[in-house]
């Protein structure tokens, strides 16, 4: 029987912390400003400059660590990681090594149920950015932008607990959702605010020892992450099956070629000559601070999901959609329900019309819409529909106007004369007109094609611009035809 192989994956994730200023100086962390406009002796690595730790960076690190069930280390140590690169002016990166901020957490993936151990979370500074393209002299020179130099990061290191590319993707998505919901990170992978490296190995099924791993870098989208890991798994299996050996190395995912390429042979920790940072004291965190941060922690996405099912009876699919569109829609939905609308109807509006109206709009769409149409205003619209004052079609039309102008539903219905027509007198003329105009449909209905009634109802609705009560129209048409 041919040997079956089992993939093993561990992830290392770098997340920029949402502080206003850098981790060891007062320079701005703002993204997208002209190159080299946020620099000072500290983050440019000038000799003699002294780092001062940013308290908010530590606090955000603690928040992330708590959400991942880690133990917060009340004493941790900054260390120098020495290496040479043009975007690293000091010649070392200040990171944490032997004693990190947090250890021993875990995160379970709600799709597969896999429980992924978190080895550690540590604080460190980001490096600058080398720019190899986009300048007139790019064929001769590379340029360096130090705006990112010294931006605070956490690195989250997982145990080798994932067993498929899908698991790894799902871990990264879940982690992103948590970090974003805690306002620890903005989740922007294109701008490099959230980056993932994957460690991949395979072993024959049944073998206990782990195989030799490679590290795949440049995984800046969920799709690339999954594809790159899948490719790397298959590559390793092929090497082993043809009698070869895996070399421990760093590989780069080449998007255009759809494969991984060797970048460098893997360096060992001793190559970095880590040693404790002499310019920074021990990082001490008081129990009080830990407790304070714990109290300020918002509900985590996984708990929100459970609550949405238990309190409102939403289906798993609805919960997935609601939390995916934008977490702030959760609060919106709950407010609509609080304004006395049944959860079933409220969720249909949130995932239907509301989401449709969000799609065409810019930036913080939820914020804009909830200012124009606060949950209570939507609840009022739903009540107009519920009481039969307006028809379903009209309700959608009114909602769109509300999103555009911020007027109330009552106001729009009144001004535009949109109230539902549901008196027999007001409808009978139109009904008769439609009947005389569409003899064929009438005879079809008479000869047993009951579907023809739908067409006739549609015609009346069209003639009344959607205002007629469709149920009543249906009744009137039947009566008139059946005599
Ligand atoms: P290194 O010494 O190369 O930095 P570590 O033991 O510190 O390796 O682990 C780094 C990452 O690689 C962690 O996410 C860990 O889970 C993962 N990892 C370690 N060994 C393996 C392996 N054999 N296969 C897959 N992932 C692994
Ligand atoms: Zn600075
Ligand atoms: Mg390591």
């Amino acid at each position: 029987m041919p040997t079956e192989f089992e993939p093993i994956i561990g992830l290392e994730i770098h997340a920029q912390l949402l502080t206003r200023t850098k981790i060891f100086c007062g320079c701005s962390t703002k993204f997208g400003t002209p190159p080299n406009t946020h620099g000072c002796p500290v983050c440019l690595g000038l000799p003699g400059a002294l780092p001062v730790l940013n308290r908010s960076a530590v606090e955000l690190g603690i928040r992330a660590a708590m959400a991942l069930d880690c133990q917060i280390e009340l004493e941790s140590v900054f260390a120098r990681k020495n290496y040479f690169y043009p975007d690293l002016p000091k010649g070392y990166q200040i990171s944490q090594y032997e004693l990190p901020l947090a250890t021993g957490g875990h995160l379970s993936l709600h799709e597969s149920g896999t429980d992924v151990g978190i080895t550690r979370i540590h604080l460190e500074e980001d490096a600058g950015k080398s720019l190899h393209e986009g300048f007139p002299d790019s064929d001769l020179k590379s340029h360096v932008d130090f705006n990112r130099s010294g931006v605070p990061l956490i690195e989250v290191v997982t145990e080798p607990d994932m067993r498929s590319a899908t698991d790894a993707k799902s871990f990264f998505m879940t982690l992103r959702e948590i970090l974003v919901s805690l306002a620890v990170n903005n989740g922007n992978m294109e701008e490099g605010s959230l980056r993932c490296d994957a460690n991949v190995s395979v072993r024959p099924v049944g073998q206990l020892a782990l195989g030799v791993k490679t590290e795949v870098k440049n995984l800046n989208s969920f799709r690339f992450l999954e594809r790159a890991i899948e490719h790397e798994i298959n590559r390793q299996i092929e090497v082993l099956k043809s009698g070869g050996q895996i070399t421990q190395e760093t590989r780069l995912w080449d998007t255009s070629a759809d494969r991984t390429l060797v970048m460098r042979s893997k360096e060992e920790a001793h190559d970095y000559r880590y040693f404790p940072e002499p310019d920074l004291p021990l990082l001490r965190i008081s129990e009080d601070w830990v407790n304070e941060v714990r109290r300020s922690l918002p509900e985590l996405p996984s708990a929100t999901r459970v609550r949405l099912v238990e309190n409102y009876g939403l289906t798993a699919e609805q919960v997935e959609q609601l939390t995916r569109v934008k977490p702030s829609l959760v609060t919106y939905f709950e407010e609509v329900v609080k304004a006395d609308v049944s959860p079933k109807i409220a969720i249909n509006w949130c995932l239907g019309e509301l989401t449709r109206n969000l799609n065409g709009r810019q930036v913080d769409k939820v914020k804009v819409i909830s200012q124009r149409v606060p949950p209570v205003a939507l609840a009022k619209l739903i009540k107009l529909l519920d009481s039969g004052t307006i028809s379903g079609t009209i309700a959608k039309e009114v909602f769109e106007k509300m999103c555009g102008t911020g007027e109330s539903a009552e106001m729009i219905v009144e001004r535009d004369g949109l109230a539902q027509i549901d008196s027999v007198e007001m409808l009978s003329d139109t009904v008769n007109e439609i009947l005389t105009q569409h003899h064929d449909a009438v005879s079809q209905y008479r000869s047993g094609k009951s579907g023809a009634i739908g067409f006739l109802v549609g015609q009346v609705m069209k003639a009344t611009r959607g205002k007629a009560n469709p149920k009543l129209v249906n009744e009137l048409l039947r009566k008139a035809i059946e005599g």
Side-chain angles (χ1 to χ4, degrees), residues 305-316:
R305 285 207 182 82
V306 171
R307 201 165 50 78
L308 288 173
V309 173
E310 286 182 354
N311 293 8
Y312 307 106
L314 300 191
T315 66

Side-chain angles (χ1 to χ4, degrees), residues 5-8 200-204 207 209-213 232-234 236-237 240 246:
F5 287 93
E6 173 188 46
I8 309 274
V200 180
S201 68
V202 299
R203 66 179 170 192
Q207 176 184 307
L210 295 179
V212 175
K213 72 173 156 72
E232 184 54 19
I233 291 168
N234 291 333
Q236 291 187 12
I237 292 176
L240 293 176
I246 306 298

Side-chain angles (χ1 to χ4, degrees), residues 3 37 50 61 178 202 247 299 348 366 381 407 437:
T3 323
T37 47
L50 288 175
I178 291 173
V202 299
T247 3
E299 181 178 61
N348 283 338
V366 174
L381 170 68
E407 294 166 299
Q437 276 169 21

Side-chain angles (χ1 to χ4, degrees), residues 222-237:
F222 295 127
R223 203 163 60 92
F224 291 158
L225 175 94
E226 193 173 25
R227 295 230 331 219
I229 294 175
E230 257 160 24
H231 269 257
E232 184 54 19
I233 291 168
N234 291 333
R235 187 191 68 84
Q236 291 187 12
I237 292 176

Side-chain angles (χ1 to χ4, degrees), residues 7-12 117 119-120 155-163 197-202 209-215 236 248 266-269:
I8 309 274
I9 301 144
L11 299 179
E12 290 167 289
T119 316
R120 54 188 275 146
E155 177 173 343
V156 178
V157 181
T158 79
E159 291 292 304
D161 286 343
M162 286 153 277
R163 293 290 175 269
D197 302 335
N199 298 273
V200 180
S201 68
V202 299
L210 295 179
V212 175
K213 72 173 156 72
T214 60
E215 187 177 351
Q236 291 187 12
Q248 178 163 333
K266 171 79 184 174
E267 55 289 280
E268 301 285 340

Side-chain angles (χ1 to χ4, degrees), residues 440-459:
D440 336 354
V442 173
S443 27
Q444 275 176 16
Y445 181 73
R446 287 220 172 96
S447 66
K449 277 189 87 179
S450 57
I453 198 82
F455 169 78
L456 291 167
V457 173
Q459 292 304 310

Side-chain angles (χ1 to χ4, degrees), residues 54-299:
N54 179 340
R55 185 181 163 97
S56 334
V58 181
E59 177 151 340
L60 293 176
I62 298 176
R63 281 167 84 86
M66 278 176 179
L68 296 175
D69 259 338
C70 289
Q71 170 169 332
I72 311 294
E73 301 297 339
L74 298 182
E75 289 187 347
S76 65
V77 173
F78 285 96
R80 289 189 182 180
K81 180 180 183 179
N82 298 281
Y83 65 94
F84 172 80
Y85 206 73
D87 63 20
L88 191 75
K90 293 198 296 292
Y92 59 86
Q93 176 193 26
I94 304 181
S95 179
Q96 295 188 302
Y97 184 57
E98 272 170 354
L99 296 169
L101 175 72
T103 53
H106 67 96
L107 177 64
S108 54
L109 307 178
H110 68 274
E111 289 96 344
S112 62
T114 308
D115 193 61
V116 179
I118 307 292
T119 316
R120 54 188 275 146
I121 298 181
H122 65 250
L123 291 164
E124 62 186 28
E125 58 179 340
D126 209 344
K129 202 173 185 174
S130 298
L131 307 166
H132 307 291
E133 278 161 28
F135 296 90
D137 55 354
S138 284
D139 50 337
L140 299 170
K141 291 181 188 164
S142 285
H143 296 244
V144 193
D145 175 7
F146 289 112
N147 284 349
R148 204 179 65 180
S149 169
V151 164
L153 303 176
I154 44 169
E155 177 173 343
V156 178
V157 181
T158 79
E159 291 292 304
D161 286 343
M162 286 153 277
R163 293 290 175 269
S164 68
T166 317
D167 249 7
K169 178 173 105 175
S170 143
F171 178 89
F172 193 32
M173 288 174 109
T174 310
L175 179 65
R176 176 178 182 272
E177 183 186 43
I178 291 173
L179 297 179
V180 171
S181 79
L182 293 175
V184 162
N185 176 264
N186 67 14
N188 195 326
M189 291 148 71
E190 271 152 49
E191 290 176 2
S193 313
L194 187 63
R195 316 192 281 266
C196 182
D197 302 335
N199 298 273
V200 180
S201 68
V202 299
R203 66 179 170 192
V205 168
Q207 176 184 307
L208 274 182
L210 295 179
V212 175
K213 72 173 156 72
T214 60
E215 187 177 351
V216 190
K217 296 207 178 257
N218 192 24
L219 304 176
N220 50 8
S221 83
F222 295 127
R223 203 163 60 92
F224 291 158
L225 175 94
E226 193 173 25
R227 295 230 331 219
I229 294 175
E230 257 160 24
H231 269 257
E232 184 54 19
I233 291 168
N234 291 333
R235 187 191 68 84
Q236 291 187 12
I237 292 176
E238 258 159 47
V239 169
L240 293 176
K241 278 193 171 161
S242 61
Q245 280 190 341
I246 306 298
T247 3
Q248 178 163 333
E249 63 199 0
T250 304
R251 301 180 70 90
L252 204 61
W253 173 243
D254 181 345
T255 313
S256 50
D258 215 29
R259 60 186 174 146
T260 63
L261 302 170
V262 183
M263 185 168 134
R264 54 170 188 251
S265 68
K266 171 79 184 174
E267 55 289 280
E268 301 285 340
H270 61 248
D271 295 336
Y272 291 121
R273 296 192 162 267
Y274 279 100
F275 64 86
E277 168 60 63
D279 288 341
L280 285 166
L282 200 67
L283 170 54
R284 280 184 217 273
I285 296 168
S286 71
E287 299 258 13
D288 284 351
W289 193 15
V290 172
N291 293 332
E292 198 182 296
V293 177
R294 200 178 293 285
R295 276 195 299 273
S296 77
L297 228 52
E299 181 178 61

